[in-house]
Amino acid sequence: MSRIKVLPPGLQNQIAAGEVVERPSSVVKELVENSLDAGAGSVQVYLEQGGQALVEVIDDGSGMLPREMALAVTRHATSKIFSMQDLTSVQSFGFRGEALPSIASVSRLRLASCVQGQDEGNFLEIMYGDQLQEGPEAMTPSTRVTVKNLLANIPARLKFLKTKSTEGKKCSENFIRLALANLEVELELYSEGRSLYRFFRQESLKDRLLKVWPEQVCRDLKKVELDQGDFRVHGVASSPENAQARGERMLFYVNNRAVKDKTLFSALKQAYKGRLLSREYPQAVIFLELPPEEVDVNVHPAKSEVRFRNERHVFSLVSRAVGKVLDKNYFEVPEMPAGDVDADRKTLGSSYRPCPGLTSPEMPVFREDFRHETAPDYGDRPAKKPAPPAHVPDMGLSYLGQVENSYLVFLNSSGRLLVVDQHGAHERVIFEELKNRQGSVQSRMLAMPIHIELHQAEKSLLEEIWSILRSLGFVLELQGERLLQVKGLPDIVSTGEGVEALRSMLEDKTRDMDGVLIALACRTSIKSGSSMTRDEALGLAHKLMQCKEMNFCPHGRPICMDLGGKELERLFKRR
């Protein structure tokens, strides 16, 4: 085994470059951040062949003196921090002093800079870590960093780069992320001599997003704003209806630094919980501002990861900030006089009965009474419909009718059309009623047990949710290794519905209470294709308004859609 020794400076820089300079987009990020740290008011970026042949950044920042240029390409030489105290309160983008020497070790680098107030600058040229030449250069106050033939001296790493178009796209993404966080700076990106993006000074965040995101998404963006002491969350978040299949438009910033952080990602997803399907993602640009000592930015050389001192507080803050702007009251419910509430509680229509053990008199759900059932029954049953209160209060709604026996159409007090998915609405009502009645649902014993053969994976899953099922009225028994006996079911469902719900839980690999409740609500709610009377439709709307979450079904699908003049104009292509 060879003896321990210090690595040559060039090799040190190439090792550091492996973490700092992953691809051309890393160079774009590091150089533009240096420009911003230098107080630039204008930055231009030029790319050729996706950045592998050329990345050039020009800015009008403070510039570098000739004696500083050689230091700038020396490892751990920086103007950003000077002490351990500075490291705990970093406010600049860069601070490690690794970017320029790392880039210089894997490319042909040329620095040219002239400080403000001077009429001549200097240049320095380096090839793969070795200095070629330096000297004076005629130029106006500015800094130009030119990087050519990136990674050409490391073929093993060069082969890991993607196509030119893919690398160019990644460069654009990093450029855009910086542009969204620095609205006071003018930035322009060129590729192969053509301007791709230009952002002007003092544009709003939405103005800049309109240049990079679809108009439909930007039009419905909601402003996020929450201040709590030294912590502030602000930015924009999309309506749940505009969700997409990928999470590429979820952007996070901590003290204006673009980051990728699991805590922030989870907090945003939590804010949309119950409003999106499992494989949908929102669009959002979220800025978190907090005291520098509350966050560690020195986690990784690329500085894209951070560590929070109090992750729970950050999670709660971001989740609440976004969640509070997502609620939308389609119904514009007026204050309900006490007399109306009392009238609802006194009596129900003679054709309707509340679910035993499920609903309170003021929130009835129509169903047949199965308490006297003595044998399994898989036959067709009349579609269950939500019972209207005996006295429907004024909800500011006029019922217009039903579309294909699936969608209820109302006109609200503002003259906008409100379309309600009857199945999703009833699902939400039953889900919340079940949740409120958790632990008090009674069991209805079957005269003859139903047998279900299980796979080993289903058996293991069933064991995980066994106690949840028992608390909801399921009476189950395992015989041998694979045979499940269903001896009793919640008295709120028919035999067929209960068994179907149980099978659905196993197929969907349900592992928590919400999943079980969703399966039950789905099986027992009114189905699409079922006709409803005016009173039934208004009764459902009334009960939906009493739900904590009235806009989305338990699966995350939207329940209500409203259409006003602007939406109709777009549909008829008048806008």
Side-chain angles (χ1 to χ4, degrees):
M1 185 175 179
S2 60
R3 311 307 297 177
I4 296 173
K5 59 184 178 180
V6 178
L7 296 175
L11 183 54
Q12 292 180 31
N13 287 334
Q14 285 200 2
I15 291 171
E19 294 180 308
V20 178
V21 188
E22 182 183 0
R23 57 191 346 127
S25 60
S26 307
V27 176
V28 171
K29 173 183 177 291
E30 297 291 345
L31 296 185
V32 174
E33 285 183 346
N34 280 348
S35 297
L36 296 170
D37 281 339
S42 176
V43 182
Q44 293 82 43
V45 179
Y46 297 84
L47 304 175
E48 289 182 9
Q49 298 181 25
Q52 196 273 320
L54 171 72
V55 175
E56 185 172 64
V57 177
I58 304 172
D59 69 65
D60 63 354
S62 58
M64 289 179 281
L65 295 169
R67 65 177 180 272
E68 294 177 317
M69 295 179 70
L71 283 174
V73 292
T74 303
R75 286 192 75 209
H76 304 311
T78 179
S79 63
K80 315 296 173 59
I81 61 172
F82 302 100
S83 67
M84 185 68 74
Q85 176 81 25
D86 295 336
L87 189 59
T88 62
S89 57
V90 173
Q91 299 192 47
S92 58
F93 289 112
F95 57 88
R96 298 172 65 104
E98 291 183 318
L100 280 177
S102 296
I103 294 169
S105 70
V106 292
S107 69
R108 180 163 186 160
L109 174 72
R110 190 178 194 276
L111 284 177
S113 187
C114 177
V115 298
Q116 298 294 329
Q118 301 291 320
D119 55 8
E120 184 180 68
N122 270 65
F123 79 91
L124 174 66
E125 194 165 350
I126 299 174
M127 178 175 280
Y128 306 126
D130 297 325
Q131 183 173 320
L132 296 181
Q133 55 183 330
E134 63 176 330
E137 177 149 326
M139 59 187 299
T140 58
S142 61
T143 298
R144 178 187 291 108
V145 184
T146 306
V147 178
K148 293 183 178 180
N149 302 326
L150 183 67
L151 299 177
N153 63 325
I154 314 179
R157 289 192 58 204
L158 188 63
K159 68 182 181 180
F160 283 97
L161 295 184
K162 305 298 183 181
T163 63
K164 295 174 185 177
S165 61
T166 299
E167 294 299 335
K169 182 182 178 184
K170 292 183 179 297
C171 289
S172 297
E173 289 171 352
N174 272 358
F175 175 83
I176 289 167
R177 293 203 71 176
L178 289 165
L180 296 179
N182 296 276
L183 305 180
E184 73 285 355
V185 181
E186 180 175 335
L187 298 106
E188 189 163 10
L189 175 65
Y190 296 85
S191 179
E192 312 299 335
R194 182 172 64 91
S195 177
L196 295 183
Y197 298 103
R198 186 177 184 184
F199 301 102
F200 297 98
R201 285 186 180 92
Q202 304 305 327
E203 288 178 312
S204 68
L205 176 59
K206 190 170 181 180
D207 289 336
R208 293 198 169 184
L209 285 172
L210 277 167
K211 297 179 180 180
V212 297
W213 285 4
E215 182 191 357
Q216 172 62 36
V217 173
C218 295
R219 184 172 58 238
D220 294 330
L221 287 175
K222 301 174 182 294
K223 185 177 180 180
V224 174
E225 184 71 50
L226 180 63
D227 286 288
Q228 191 175 83
D230 293 333
F231 290 74
R232 180 187 177 213
V233 179
H234 63 102
V236 293
S238 66
S239 298
E241 293 83 0
N242 286 326
Q244 60 177 27
R246 294 182 294 179
E248 58 190 12
R249 295 199 188 112
M250 299 167 66
L251 308 180
F252 302 99
Y253 298 83
V254 175
N255 290 344
N256 250 33
R257 181 190 304 278
V259 299
K260 297 177 181 177
D261 183 77
K262 291 182 180 178
T263 299
L264 298 178
F265 179 87
S266 299
L268 183 63
K269 289 288 285 182
Q270 177 65 28
Y272 282 87
K273 186 178 180 181
R275 296 178 169 97
L276 298 177
L277 299 179
S278 58
R279 296 182 180 179
E280 289 184 329
Y281 298 90
Q283 295 99 342
V285 181
I286 302 299
F287 295 87
L288 172 64
E289 296 177 11
L290 69 170
E293 61 271 16
E294 292 290 332
V295 59
D296 181 6
V297 298
N298 190 29
V299 176
H300 189 275
K303 304 181 294 295
S304 61
E305 300 175 17
V306 294
R307 186 179 293 118
F308 298 108
R309 176 176 291 182
N310 190 337
E311 285 189 351
R312 287 188 177 182
H313 182 60
V314 168
F315 179 94
S316 173
L317 199 66
V318 173
S319 181
R320 285 191 290 115
V322 178
K324 74 175 188 175
V325 305
L326 298 180
D327 293 328
K328 184 174 181 180
N329 186 358
Y330 290 106
F331 295 98
E332 303 175 8
V333 188
E335 286 294 326
M336 190 186 302
D340 288 343
V341 178
D342 294 338
D344 279 347
R345 292 177 176 173
K346 284 181 181 177
T347 179
L348 302 175
S350 58
S351 302
Y352 301 93
R353 291 186 294 264
C355 285
L358 170 60
T359 55
S360 59
E362 58 265 44
M363 293 187 68
V365 173
F366 173 76
R367 66 177 300 280
E368 294 186 22
D369 192 341
F370 296 111
R371 284 173 294 178
H372 305 295
E373 186 170 53
T374 57
D377 181 2
Y378 290 92
D380 294 335
R381 294 183 177 276
K384 288 191 275 300
K385 300 180 182 181
H391 173 75
V392 180
D394 179 14
M395 299 178 290
L397 295 179
S398 298
Y399 179 62
L400 303 182
Q402 209 176 3
V403 178
E404 295 188 353
N405 285 344
S406 299
Y407 302 97
L408 310 177
V409 184
F410 302 88
L411 189 69
N412 69 16
S413 57
S414 298
R416 295 175 66 88
L417 287 175
L418 182 64
V419 184
V420 177
D421 175 1
Q422 64 190 39
H423 174 67
H426 201 202
E427 236 182 352
R428 168 55 64 181
V429 169
I430 293 176
F431 174 82
E432 294 203 6
E433 290 177 344
L434 279 167
K435 205 161 191 175
N436 292 335
R437 299 284 296 176
Q438 182 181 322
S440 62
V441 179
Q442 300 299 311
S443 300
R444 173 175 51 80
M445 303 305 294
L446 304 180
M448 296 181 61
I450 297 171
H451 296 83
I452 300 177
E453 191 169 344
L454 303 173
H455 297 296
Q456 181 57 45
E458 291 177 327
K459 177 177 177 288
S460 300
L461 176 62
L462 187 65
E463 289 171 350
E464 287 185 43
I465 60 173
W466 191 275
S467 60
I468 296 174
L469 294 172
R470 188 71 192 95
S471 71
L472 289 171
F474 284 90
V475 181
L476 309 173
E477 184 178 308
L478 277 173
Q479 286 195 335
E481 286 296 315
R482 301 289 179 84
L483 191 63
L484 174 68
Q485 271 196 340
V486 182
K487 292 186 171 183
L489 293 166
D491 68 353
I492 60 175
V493 299
S494 70
T495 303
E497 289 168 344
V499 173
E500 285 179 14
L502 194 57
R503 291 186 185 277
S504 176
M505 296 171 207
L506 297 176
E507 289 172 5
D508 296 340
K509 297 181 173 59
T510 299
R511 285 185 163 83
D512 57 16
M513 175 64 77
D514 275 5
V516 172
L517 296 181
I518 287 171
L520 281 171
C522 184
R523 297 299 173 183
T524 55
S525 59
I526 186 172
K527 301 299 186 285
S528 296
S530 302
S531 63
M532 296 181 68
T533 66
R534 173 185 178 279
D535 285 347
E536 289 165 349
L538 287 170
L540 178 57
H542 174 230
K543 286 183 287 185
L544 182 61
M545 284 189 293
Q546 300 175 28
C547 293
K548 292 180 180 178
E549 171 57 77
M550 68 174 70
N551 298 329
F552 298 89
C553 80
H555 297 95
R557 298 185 182 92
I559 292 173
C560 307
M561 292 288 180
D562 67 334
L563 299 172
K566 291 181 179 179
E567 291 79 10
L568 293 173
E569 284 174 353
R570 281 196 293 269
L571 288 174
F572 286 101
K573 298 185 177 180
R574 291 184 175 274
R575 284 173 60 93

